Amino acid sequence: LSENAIGVEGAQSIALALQTNSTLQELTLRESSLGDKGAQSIALALRTNSTFQRLELSRNTIGDEGAQSIALALQTNSTLQELHLWGNNIDVEAAQSIALALRTNSTLQSLNLSSNIIGVEGSQSIALALQANSTL
């Protein structure tokens, strides 16, 4: 579904379906105009979905609110192995939220935060979390 400009409304529809879907393992929504609200919808589905293994949300102008929702979902999700968030607007605060989630998440094996604005402080938080995480 990448590069289809589904926006918030499309993300909400997909998220609703994902809450009950028991087969989909990979979802690619790169460059789909999700923004924070769309990311929050997908994150809500991520909290309850038990089959997702790979999620691609790159280049969707996701900022603090969306990234923090994803971080909350990572604290409870037990199936996601790969998460791509490159090229968004994720800053220090959101990176710190993701770092907190990484301390408890035991399934994520790959995380791409390239081309965001996490800065030194955000990268330090991620680095500290990686010391406690045994799968990344």
Side-chain angles (χ1 to χ4, degrees):
L1 293 172
S2 289
E3 301 176 32
N4 274 300
I6 64 168
V8 175
E9 191 174 323
Q12 290 171 338
S13 296
I14 290 170
L16 186 61
L18 292 175
Q19 289 178 4
T20 56
N21 181 283
S22 61
T23 55
L24 188 68
Q25 296 179 357
E26 182 175 333
L27 179 62
T28 303
L29 293 172
R30 182 180 52 252
E31 291 186 67
S32 296
S33 304
L34 302 182
D36 283 329
K37 297 286 186 204
Q40 288 171 321
S41 295
I42 298 297
L44 186 61
L46 190 58
R47 290 175 118 177
T48 57
N49 183 284
S50 61
T51 58
F52 254 22
Q53 294 178 6
R54 183 181 188 277
L55 180 59
E56 164 68 81
L57 297 176
S58 298
R59 299 187 69 183
N60 273 296
T61 61
I62 297 169
D64 282 353
E65 292 176 14
Q68 287 174 354
S69 293
I70 292 167
L72 281 174
L74 288 176
Q75 290 179 3
T76 57
N77 180 278
S78 61
T79 57
L80 193 67
Q81 296 174 9
E82 191 174 333
L83 177 60
H84 296 270
L85 293 169
W86 62 268
N88 282 294
N89 298 321
I90 297 170
D91 70 6
V92 174
E93 285 184 43
Q96 290 171 334
S97 295
I98 291 169
L100 184 63
L102 294 180
R103 291 180 177 273
T104 57
N105 182 286
S106 61
T107 56
L108 201 62
Q109 297 173 12
S110 176
L111 173 65
N112 189 339
L113 290 170
S114 302
S115 300
N116 278 286
I117 48 176
I118 65 172
V120 173
E121 194 175 335
S123 63
Q124 288 172 336
S125 295
I126 298 286
L128 286 172
L130 290 177
Q131 291 175 358
N133 184 297
S134 62
T135 58
L136 275 171

